[in-house]
Amino acid sequence: EVQLVESGGDLVQPGGSLRLSCAASGFTFGTYWMSWVRQAPGKGLEWVANIKEDESERNYADSVRGRFTIFRDNAKNSLYLQMNSLRVEDTAKYYCAREGVRAARDVWGQGTTVTVSS
Amino acid sequence: QSALTQPPSASGSPGQSVTISCTGTSSDVGGYNYVSWYQQYPGKAPKLMIYEVSKRPSGVPDRFSGSKSGNTASLTVSGLQAEDEADYYCHSYTGSYNNFYVFGTGTKVTVL
């Protein structure tokens, strides 16, 4: 079964750091672009970042560039999101997603919740 | 890059059709055939329903169809069923360094 499982979400103070993980199974992880997408409580979806199969290209949304870093370990079938200088507005459920044809996100994890609050 | 514009809500009776619009610009929806649509139930992860403007992934009922004209994409759900009641989001590639991808504002579909 193709599956993505996120972990690492937590309550953190403004200015703090957190690392999210996404474990992939059921497909050849190293042959797909991967993304992080977030959803603030009661709000819509927001693309956060994506990364090429071999890590040679990474892209970020303006709202997180310079604070978040996306990376992956193909040997461990895992995707990560290092989040630094967290802000209250980063509070959201963070989803890991596989990118298929024409950047369509065809597999999603169940999400992990990040709450930034003092 | 602003979010793509969708109507907040849409509704129809069982068996009827509902169409959701997704309006962008020539820099996103109008510029690329990278439009996809997602269905999301409350508290659940999104599910891909349409990709590349009008293609359906395996397992998605053919009641769901997509199209595009100019800077506006559309998702049509024909033969509405109770299980179609959910939030729907469009999505497009922008090619902009600021934000390579953008989602729509979301539409809540209600089956009356």
Side-chain angles (χ1 to χ4, degrees):
Chain A
E1 179 191 6
V2 174
Q3 194 172 12
L4 297 171
V5 179
E6 303 93 334
S7 61
D10 204 349
L11 170 63
V12 61
Q13 291 189 339
S17 296
L18 206 58
R19 178 178 293 184
L20 305 183
S21 300
C22 170
S25 60
F27 66 98
T28 307
F29 178 74
T31 63
Y32 287 90
W33 282 73
M34 296 294 295
S35 287
W36 287 98
V37 174
R38 69 184 180 183
Q39 187 169 35
K43 302 297 184 181
L45 300 170
E46 179 187 15
W47 172 74
V48 173
N50 69 346
I51 185 169
K52 197 174 179 180
E53 299 95 325
D54 60 0
E55 293 193 289
S56 61
E57 186 174 341
R58 310 172 201 217
N59 301 302
Y60 299 93
D62 260 359
S63 57
V64 307
R65 186 176 294 111
R67 300 186 299 121
F68 290 11
T69 301
I70 186 173
F71 61 104
R72 63 194 295 165
D73 185 336
N74 289 342
K76 294 183 177 179
N77 291 332
S78 293
L79 176 72
Y80 304 96
L81 185 68
Q82 177 65 42
M83 304 185 295
N84 298 332
S85 302
L86 281 162
R87 304 168 180 168
V88 171
E89 55 264 35
D90 294 319
T91 294
K93 179 176 279 192
Y94 285 73
Y95 294 99
C96 163
R98 186 181 82 173
E99 290 192 19
V101 175
R102 294 280 193 256
R105 287 157 182 84
D106 59 357
V107 180
W108 295 69
Q110 84 290 349
T112 188
T113 299
V114 173
T115 303
V116 184
S117 174
S118 54
Chain B
Q1 196 80 25
S2 300
L4 306 174
T5 301
Q6 297 180 233
S9 62
S11 63
S13 299
Q16 290 187 330
S17 294
V18 65
T19 297
I20 304 166
S21 61
C22 169
T23 302
T25 69
S26 58
S27 297
D28 39 62
V29 173
Y32 308 93
N33 286 328
Y34 282 50
V35 177
S36 51
W37 289 89
Y38 301 85
Q39 176 191 63
Q40 186 180 36
Y41 294 115
K44 301 295 186 182
K47 175 188 175 183
L48 178 65
M49 304 302 284
I50 295 288
Y51 67 98
E52 221 171 316
V53 177
S54 59
K55 298 180 179 178
R56 275 188 313 277
S58 174
V60 173
D62 59 7
R63 303 184 290 103
F64 290 86
S65 62
S67 63
K68 188 181 83 167
S69 178
N71 298 335
T72 298
S74 298
L75 173 71
T76 297
V77 185
S78 306
L80 266 175
Q81 298 183 4
E83 67 211 48
D84 299 331
E85 184 162 301
D87 294 324
Y88 292 83
Y89 293 91
C90 61
H91 170 269
S92 177
Y93 174 72
T94 72
S96 167
Y97 172 77
N98 299 95
N99 286 298
F100 275 93
Y101 302 95
V102 62
F103 281 94
T105 50
T107 299
K108 167 68 175 179
V109 169
T110 301
V111 181
L112 302 171

